[in-house]
Amino acid sequence: MPASDAVLTQILAQLDAMQVQQQVMQAKLDAVSGATKAPVAPLEPTHSRSSSMDHIPPSSPISISNVKASLASADPHVGTPLKRATDKEREKLLYPGRVNLTTYPDQHGITPYPLSWGAADGLTRGPVICSRLPSSIKHRNAIGAHSGSYSIYRALSIAMGALSPTHKPDYSQTEPPVSIPPQPSWADPSKIVSFDPYGHLVPSLYRQQLDDEGLDVRPSIAVTKAHLKMSELDESARRGELTVDGKIVTKSPQGSNADGSVNPADSGVEVSVSKAAVEPVWYLPGVADRFGISESLLRRALFEDTGGMYPELITRPDIKVFLPPIGGLTVYIFGNPAFMSDESKELTLRVHDECNGSDVFGSDICTCKPYLTYAIEECIRGAQNRGVGVVVYFRKEGRALGEVTKYLVYNLRKRGGDSADKYFKSTELIAGVKDMRFQALMPDVLHWLGVKKVDHMVSMSDMKYDAIVKSGIPILRRYDIPDHLIPPDSRVEIDAKIAAGYFSSGKQVTEADLIKTVGRTWEETEH
């Protein structure tokens, strides 16, 4: 190596070390002073890939005091504004280096933190690191950003000056109140490939990496406890279909009138649950294997069909983990969580894909809300019968086609004659495919929970049934929604599904029957 290159390399290493030290110092300063408003440190190194010019050092490090002083004039939250900085000046303060579009495995200084998916324990497996902060960027072993689609709002908050990019979360009081302990499946790289099974244990499991090494490692799962309050459950309790046992189902506190006096009316019931929010973390080789495609094809498709958002999917084949910008899932557990991995206990399961129109607003064109409510009641009854109930709620709106596509399909159905024989065809005309949920990744959450068998599955879906059974979890019984709970306008959906092969314990529907099942027109809904 020429002497000049050696000198530049040494200078670069020293500058990088200074950046890391500066980042760690700022995090400590924020923790002590509570100052979390001022974005301070350069967020990325600036090395390009080619020739000896690779080692041109980044912009000179900016001292913490100078940045704080500069931003005090730019941020109304910090000090007294003397002069409002321009966006260009703020951009230089936030991102003093050149734009780094991508990185490469052989790039100078790139040393990904070891990550062995499916290792015997979490410490051996290693933390998932996707941060571009100076303390972590060279050690990144994952592509993407935490929080799924919400990462965009984080970027916006930083650009507006509302959030410091160096903010270090305080996890001291955030540990799970209920235990989701390691299972043998966590050490099987084929069983869980769509999220990090250690995501809820990050603050304790990787304390050394967080505190001593200054790495930006974040939880991707949070576990908590809550009470459910649903008017449908209140009505079921009043009809005697749900039992108030004082443990799982309890009476709600008496309500109040508008004047503050006690409302003597029946206050209904509340249901105690444990729940977990899970963000997606994809192990790309495992995801590709689930779908029966090559990892290189998966990477290319993810790059090309997200507008080229993640070039490292192409340039960093050594990085095997990707945090996709999609919605995650929530698990609701009824009864003792320890029973989920106990084969002597009966487990009732509902896997539900998001439907905002029905689940939240009660739209009657589909059975989503009544099916979800019925499944919750079945889970409660199962837990009260010395078993456990599990509802898994996936953010896959409109069969993962999205709500805009779903509403366009609704318009086509209502204008074209809403009969059951056209149900799936209408979706295909708009979206090109009738369903993009592809349930191959869905069973991961059951393996994370330690589920070894499902005694009662509340679902008609053959896709979900087949995916769970194929993953090695037997289903002993499944059942559909009772006929009296099906809204009249959603009969089109149910009959079309039964004719397409969905499970049904009662009514059988042939293709010839479908033309007879017709939904109401828009004119019938105008009152």
Side-chain angles (χ1 to χ4, degrees):
M1 179 185 290
S4 58
D5 279 2
V7 171
L8 286 173
T9 300
Q10 186 176 6
I11 293 173
L12 177 61
Q14 292 174 345
L15 289 171
D16 288 339
M18 291 173 64
Q19 282 186 319
V20 173
Q21 290 172 1
Q22 178 181 340
Q23 174 69 20
V24 173
M25 287 172 59
Q26 178 61 39
K28 291 180 178 179
L29 178 61
D30 286 347
V32 172
S33 65
T36 59
K37 291 290 183 182
V40 292
L43 296 186
E44 57 214 59
T46 57
H47 328 311
S48 57
R49 193 178 185 213
S50 60
S51 77
S52 61
M53 297 303 288
D54 286 1
H55 307 307
I56 296 175
S59 306
S60 300
I62 303 172
S63 71
I64 292 172
S65 58
N66 286 345
V67 173
K68 280 188 174 290
S70 298
L71 286 176
S73 64
D75 191 338
H77 299 288
V78 183
T80 303
L82 300 175
K83 171 189 172 186
R84 180 75 182 179
T86 65
D87 284 351
K88 197 66 179 176
E89 290 170 334
R90 287 177 50 77
E91 182 180 348
K92 282 188 174 294
L93 290 169
L94 280 167
Y95 313 108
R98 298 191 304 271
V99 174
N100 235 359
L101 292 179
T102 193
T103 59
Y104 301 86
D106 59 351
Q107 189 171 338
H108 174 79
I110 294 293
T111 55
Y113 204 95
L115 181 64
S116 179
W117 198 270
D121 59 82
L123 284 176
T124 305
R125 199 287 306 272
V128 173
I129 303 170
C130 63
S131 172
R132 289 173 63 90
L133 291 177
S135 63
S136 302
I137 188 168
K138 290 188 175 182
H139 306 299
R140 288 167 65 248
N141 55 22
I143 301 165
H146 280 294
S147 301
S149 57
Y150 294 101
S151 61
I152 302 300
Y153 292 104
R154 183 178 186 276
L156 180 61
S157 184
I158 290 171
M160 294 173 63
L163 173 66
S164 167
T166 64
H167 171 69
K168 184 176 181 180
D170 180 0
Y171 298 122
S172 58
Q173 299 293 323
T174 64
E175 62 274 6
V178 294
S179 177
I180 307 291
Q183 303 291 334
S185 55
W186 296 17
D188 185 340
S190 68
K191 291 297 186 185
I192 302 176
V193 300
S194 60
F195 62 87
D196 178 6
Y198 299 97
H200 59 310
L201 304 176
V202 163
S204 57
L205 189 60
Y206 302 118
R207 188 180 304 279
Q208 177 181 337
Q209 288 84 351
L210 282 162
D211 295 343
D212 299 341
E213 300 177 37
L215 295 175
D216 187 14
V217 189
R218 304 199 172 212
S220 57
I221 299 176
V223 181
T224 189
K225 295 196 294 187
H227 289 86
L228 298 187
K229 179 65 178 171
M230 298 171 57
S231 59
E232 292 87 354
L233 302 184
D234 291 341
E235 290 301 318
S236 291
R238 292 184 186 113
R239 292 193 299 266
E241 296 169 5
L242 283 182
T243 302
V244 177
D245 61 0
K247 184 176 181 181
I248 296 172
V249 180
T250 58
K251 287 292 293 180
S252 295
Q254 212 63 39
S256 301
N257 295 313
D259 61 3
S261 60
V262 175
N263 186 337
D266 178 45
S267 57
V269 296
E270 296 178 0
V271 180
S272 298
V273 296
S274 305
K275 59 181 182 177
V278 182
E279 292 176 359
V281 178
W282 284 9
Y283 176 58
L284 292 171
V287 172
D289 184 66
R290 288 282 181 89
F291 292 116
I293 59 177
S294 67
E295 183 187 342
S296 61
L297 174 57
L298 174 64
R299 286 173 175 267
R300 185 64 182 268
L302 290 172
F303 170 72
E304 296 286 356
D305 292 296
T306 57
M309 286 175 63
Y310 301 99
E312 286 175 315
L313 286 166
I314 305 300
T315 66
R316 294 299 302 275
D318 59 312
I319 294 182
K320 300 297 185 181
V321 174
F322 173 51
L323 280 66
I326 59 175
L329 64 92
T330 308
V331 181
Y332 289 85
I333 304 164
F334 302 81
N336 188 343
F339 289 177
M340 293 185 294
S341 58
D342 185 343
E343 292 186 80
S344 70
K345 306 297 183 182
E346 289 195 357
L347 185 142
T348 302
L349 172 68
R350 167 70 179 171
V351 176
H352 191 92
D353 294 319
E354 178 182 31
C355 178
N356 182 64
S358 179
D359 295 343
V360 179
F361 292 97
S363 172
D364 65 351
I365 199 171
C366 63
T367 59
C368 295
K369 183 172 186 175
Y371 223 145
L372 177 61
T373 303
Y374 173 65
I376 289 173
E377 293 183 8
E378 287 293 285
C379 286
I380 293 170
R381 285 188 276 267
Q384 290 179 328
N385 194 32
R386 298 185 295 280
V388 63
V390 177
V391 171
V392 185
Y393 193 93
F394 281 89
R395 285 358 182 254
K396 295 179 182 177
E397 176 64 58
R399 300 193 202 130
L401 300 170
E403 205 164 24
V404 169
T405 296
K406 177 163 55 171
Y407 287 9
L408 293 174
V409 172
Y410 287 170
N411 289 348
L412 174 61
R413 285 173 55 187
K414 294 303 181 183
R415 288 193 176 104
D418 190 15
S419 57
D421 63 315
K422 301 175 184 175
Y423 177 78
F424 287 116
K425 294 176 185 176
S426 297
T427 303
E428 291 180 10
L429 282 172
I430 302 297
V433 62
K434 66 181 181 182
D435 198 325
M436 289 200 306
R437 287 173 291 181
F438 306 129
Q439 302 292 351
L441 302 178
M442 174 268 291
D444 287 17
V445 65
L446 303 181
H447 291 289
W448 177 63
L449 296 169
V451 174
K452 299 177 181 65
K453 67 174 175 60
V454 175
D455 296 274
H456 312 285
M457 183 172 177
V458 188
S459 174
M460 297 174 64
S461 171
D462 281 0
M463 289 176 64
K464 293 174 183 176
Y465 175 88
D466 292 343
I468 293 171
V469 172
K470 185 179 178 180
S471 78
I473 300 174
I475 297 174
L476 306 185
R477 174 193 175 218
R478 58 174 170 162
Y479 47 105
D480 47 0
I481 184 172
D483 203 65
H484 71 277
L485 296 178
I486 300 173
D489 201 34
S490 65
R491 190 78 246 181
V492 170
E493 171 206 8
I494 292 295
D495 284 3
K497 288 181 175 180
I498 293 173
Y502 280 57
F503 172 79
S504 173
S505 59
K507 182 178 182 180
Q508 298 302 310
V509 180
T510 66
E511 289 289 338
D513 295 327
L514 294 182
I515 196 171
K516 304 173 186 175
T517 305
V518 179
R520 64 185 177 190
T521 65
W522 275 333
E523 290 72 23
E524 293 176 271
T525 65
E526 294 174 358
H527 303 296

